[in-house]
Amino acid sequence: MTRSYALVDCNNFYVSCERLFRPELKRRPVVILSNNDGCVVSRSQEAKKLNIPMATPLFKVEQLLKRHRVEIFSSNYTLYADISSRVMQTLETFSPQVEIYSIDEAFLDLTGLITAEARYDYGQEIRQTVQRHVGIPVCVGIAPTKTLAKLANHGAKTYPATNGVVDLSRPERRDRLLKITPVSEIWGVGKRTLLRLQHMGIHTAWDLSALSIKTARRQFSVVMERTIRELRGEACIDIDAQPAPQQQVICSRSFGEKISAYAPLRETVCEFAARAAEKLRHNRQLARMITVSVRTSAYSAEDPCYANSASGSLPSYSNDSRQIIARATSLLQTVWKDGYRYAKAGVMLSDLSLDSPFQPDLFDDPSCRARNTALMKAMDQINHGGSGSIWLGGQRPQRDWFMNRAHLSPAYTTRWEQLPIVS
DNA sequence: TCTGGGGTCCTAGGACCC
DNA sequence: TCTGGGGTCCTAGGACCC
């Protein structure tokens, strides 16, 4: 049976979230910054028109932003995650098979759900419902493969005449859009691949779809082969409504101020380790491998450059903050070198397993494990909401001390004291 | 002065086994 | 003196995604 997928993608998602609570910003240029106020990661239509490229460092466009009185926000992930889950809940009423692909987009399996003729209208209904229930504008792309649904969504965003919905079920429409879309817009074509494709004279999505499968396989990889088949309408990537448990948990940050001494760097790494352990417990997972990485700035010309990482295993599968912090500290000692100005560090947990059913090893002490689990649970409950009321020795008490967040909006939907007030 | 963070998948090459 | 070949597992690195 011919399959049918919809890709629903929120428009300028972070900007739209901020505008929900600041409606006066509707037609104003708005940008959202990454963690640490480093780069521009979301732009309103008006900001895009000012030629502010995605992921530009803030300092490069600061003057431009000022001149055009662009509204600036630090990222407020607590808010975005909450709005995202409301959007996803709404989408789940439109298909039994929904794959949440990222914070702002989801694939819906429409196969056998609606007739080909009704698909465009269904897309419009999705748009209107999300707008009415959550207040977030979305675009919908519908097609027989996920790669084409991505393309359709890009079309819906690019061409206002589509009214936010593009259905590529008919091959004529599909081919027409392929011919006018640059190959760089195709899902899976990144910077490196783009360069190689251009050398081969491949510039549009249509050119790519015409590349022989054999050549694609030989010169690129199975990934490219799949992309081409999908562009031709052959579904190779299925909906993944029950994603496998995560394989790694990462906590890493650039610092607001560079760190040259061991003690503050250790405190920071301990903090990252504690956060990673929290995430692990939230996922109901355990880890056996831990990696600690540190680096100096990759951009600074005058500072000497150094980057290193060290991995090691934990005594057994664990999500106990104390064990993870202890191991992180010992690993940091092996990569620490005096005389550098550190700009970034990270802790990664891998070799994960679910915490139940748990397979203990020979030396496991069940009563000790139960006690530790209870202790961590109590800690998480006290810290619920991210306020960081209690912490372990070695952690730095003021969370986020190292992060610049000069333009943060309130946690409108997740903290009582910050609820918006209608007067 | 100031350049994000958190993930996934694929491939190649080495170690090791029989 | 002869020095195969196929399989698995692990790791590092690359490329990509949002």
Side-chain angles (χ1 to χ4, degrees), chain A residues 310-345:
Chain A
S311 302
S313 43
L314 294 159
S316 66
Y317 279 107
S318 168
N319 59 18
D320 188 314
S321 292
R322 293 165 300 171
Q323 283 178 11
I324 290 168
I325 286 176
R327 195 72 183 93
T329 310
S330 71
L331 288 168
L332 175 63
Q333 279 164 0
T334 72
V335 292
W336 160 261
K337 273 211 250 172
D338 213 352
Y340 291 98
R341 299 177 67 223
Y342 292 91
K344 185 175 182 176

Side-chain angles (χ1 to χ4, degrees), chain A residues 59-305:
Chain A
F59 75 92
K60 281 193 178 170
V61 289
E62 225 158 3
Q63 290 310 312
L64 183 72
L65 298 183
K66 214 172 209 170
R67 215 164 40 242
H68 292 92
R69 299 185 37 244
V70 177
E71 201 73 28
I72 304 174
F73 290 92
S74 304
S75 335
N76 184 345
Y77 285 106
T78 318
L79 174 66
Y80 309 151
D82 184 56
I83 303 297
S84 171
S85 78
R86 295 174 196 223
V87 171
M88 298 307 169
Q89 278 175 39
T90 307
L91 294 182
E92 274 162 3
T93 64
F94 286 92
S95 166
Q97 293 280 88
V98 174
E99 175 185 345
I100 298 172
Y101 181 69
S102 76
I103 194 163
D104 73 334
E105 61 188 295
F107 287 101
L108 276 59
D109 194 347
L110 304 183
T111 310
L113 223 55
I114 36 168
T115 62
E117 300 71 44
R119 281 180 195 142
Y120 179 84
D121 291 342
Y122 201 65
Q124 287 298 349
E125 200 186 322
I126 293 174
R127 282 194 79 203
Q128 287 153 18
T129 309
V130 175
Q131 180 68 57
R132 201 166 55 239
H133 289 188
V134 197
I136 294 287
V138 302
C139 282
V140 183
I142 301 171
T145 72
K146 286 167 91 175
T147 305
L148 284 171
K150 277 273 202 185
L151 173 73
N153 192 287
H154 178 257
K157 286 220 161 81
T158 310
Y159 305 105
T162 62
N163 206 10
V165 179
V166 166
D167 172 21
L168 297 184
S169 298
R170 284 171 43 213
E172 314 87 77
R173 280 193 78 84
R174 174 192 75 200
D175 292 350
R176 212 160 54 139
L177 187 56
L178 283 171
K179 283 175 187 165
I180 58 172
T181 305
V183 69
S184 56
E185 299 302 328
I186 296 304
W187 193 31
V189 175
K191 234 165 54 187
R192 299 311 266 273
T193 309
L194 178 64
L195 278 176
R196 292 176 61 194
L197 288 173
Q198 283 170 340
H199 265 111
M200 298 165 70
I202 292 167
H203 300 284
T204 65
W206 175 255
D207 296 340
L208 181 60
S209 73
L211 184 67
S212 95
I213 299 286
K214 241 170 131 179
T215 311
R217 185 68 183 258
R218 201 175 55 238
Q219 302 205 15
F220 295 91
S221 71
V222 288
V223 185
M224 182 61 84
E225 172 180 348
R226 223 161 31 208
T227 299
I228 292 170
R229 288 185 188 276
E230 287 240 321
L231 286 178
R232 296 177 185 176
E234 183 186 334
C236 305
I237 313 171
D238 209 354
I239 283 267
D240 188 6
Q242 246 111 40
Q246 266 173 240
Q247 296 181 39
Q248 51 185 25
V249 166
I250 296 176
C251 183
S252 78
R253 292 274 186 290
S254 298
F255 311 140
E257 281 168 37
K258 301 224 169 35
I259 298 180
S260 304
Y262 181 72
L265 188 62
R266 194 202 62 215
E267 285 171 348
T268 306
V269 165
C270 287
E271 176 67 26
F272 293 170
R275 290 238 188 147
E278 258 173 36
K279 284 190 209 173
L280 205 56
R281 294 194 291 273
H282 182 257
N283 295 352
R284 311 193 59 89
Q285 286 179 301
L286 304 163
R288 204 166 55 177
M289 280 289 290
I290 170 168
T291 304
V292 171
S293 58
V294 295
R295 65 164 311 128
T296 58
S297 169
Y299 305 97
S300 172
E302 56 270 24
D303 282 344
C305 195

